[in-house]
């Protein structure tokens, strides 16, 4: 939700058609859309089905090189050929003409990218790039916090499973001890006399 809000505010501030945030896939070899504003939902689904490999497309290139990249006019840009071909109909349907992607960096690691899309040719100003950098810094914090939260939730679930197993074992041990005492009480004394 935080990233969606950031995308909405940035798109409206810059007069962009859409803004989206890309995050690394679990294997760390590609990126897919994590949040967006102004895009058709099928574009996000397309990114899940066909993540962009690092180093390809603008988002993958921004993440791999840890620097901003894009095109002031995608219809005239030869780097459009690096985009996964399955994206071309979806990109065309979005009416995208210009794009800028800025990496989302935590520490020294790029964990995603933020892409800004325009419907007309557009060269980003210094102000727009500075604003995009500030937003990606905030996004990095949000994404890292979400990662830590997810990791902590997983650990809590594992500890809860362990706690349940431990309690079950303790209950079973208590029942066994009770049964042993009951058997000892009922059985005749078989201790040999000396």
């Amino acid at each position: 939700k935080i990233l969606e809000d950031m995308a909405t505010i940035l798109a409206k501030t810059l007069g962009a058609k859409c803004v989206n945030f890309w995050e690394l896939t679990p294997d760390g070899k590609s990126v897919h859309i994590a949040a967006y504003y102004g895009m058709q939902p099928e574009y996000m689904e397309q990114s899940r089905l066909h993540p962009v490999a690092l180093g390809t497309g603008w988002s993958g290139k921004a993440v791999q090189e840890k620097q901003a990249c894009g095109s002031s006019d995608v219809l005239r840009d030869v780097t459009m050929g690096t985009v996964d071909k399955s994206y071309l109909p979806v990109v065309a349907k979005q009416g995208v003409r210009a794009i800028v992607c800025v990496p989302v960096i935590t520490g020294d690691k790029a964990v995603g990218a933020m892409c800004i899309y325009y419907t007309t040719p557009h060269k980003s100003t210094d102000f727009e790039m500075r604003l995009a950098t500030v937003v990606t810094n905030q996004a990095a914090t949000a994404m890292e916090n979400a990662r830590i939260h997810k990791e902590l939730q997983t650990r809590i679930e594992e500890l809860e499973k362990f706690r349940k197993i431990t309690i079950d074992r303790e209950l079973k041990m208590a029942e066994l001890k009770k049964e042993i005492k009951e058997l000892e009480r009922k059985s005749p004394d078989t201790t040999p006399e000396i």
Side-chain angles (χ1 to χ4, degrees), residues 83-102:
V83 176
D84 180 343
K85 300 297 185 217
S86 68
Y87 273 92
L88 295 179
V90 181
V91 169
K93 190 174 182 179
Q94 294 289 329
V96 172
R97 283 294 300 270
I99 182 173
V100 63
C101 291
V102 181

Side-chain angles (χ1 to χ4, degrees), residues 10-60:
L10 186 63
K12 290 178 179 180
T13 300
L14 297 180
K17 177 184 183 196
C18 337
V19 172
N20 59 25
F21 286 93
W22 298 73
E23 68 181 354
L24 286 171
T25 54
D27 66 6
K29 296 180 181 178
S30 53
V31 290
H32 61 87
I33 298 173
Y36 65 95
Y37 166 80
M39 305 200 94
Q40 297 169 356
E42 66 222 34
Y43 192 74
M44 184 169 181
E45 183 60 29
Q46 181 76 2
S47 83
R48 296 259 181 209
L49 296 173
H50 304 282
V52 174
L54 297 187
T56 64
W58 295 289
S59 55

Side-chain angles (χ1 to χ4, degrees), residues 15 19 45 53 59 68 86 88 103 125 129-130 136 145 162 177:
V19 172
E45 183 60 29
S59 55
S86 68
L88 295 179
T125 66
M129 292 306 294
R130 284 194 308 272
T136 58
N145 286 345
F162 180 75
K177 286 179 182 177

Side-chain angles (χ1 to χ4, degrees), residues 24-26 28 63 66 103-112 140 144 147:
L24 286 171
T25 54
V63 172
K66 297 183 195 174
V104 175
I105 298 174
T106 299
D108 64 348
K109 182 181 180 196
V111 296
E144 181 65 8
R147 183 193 67 75

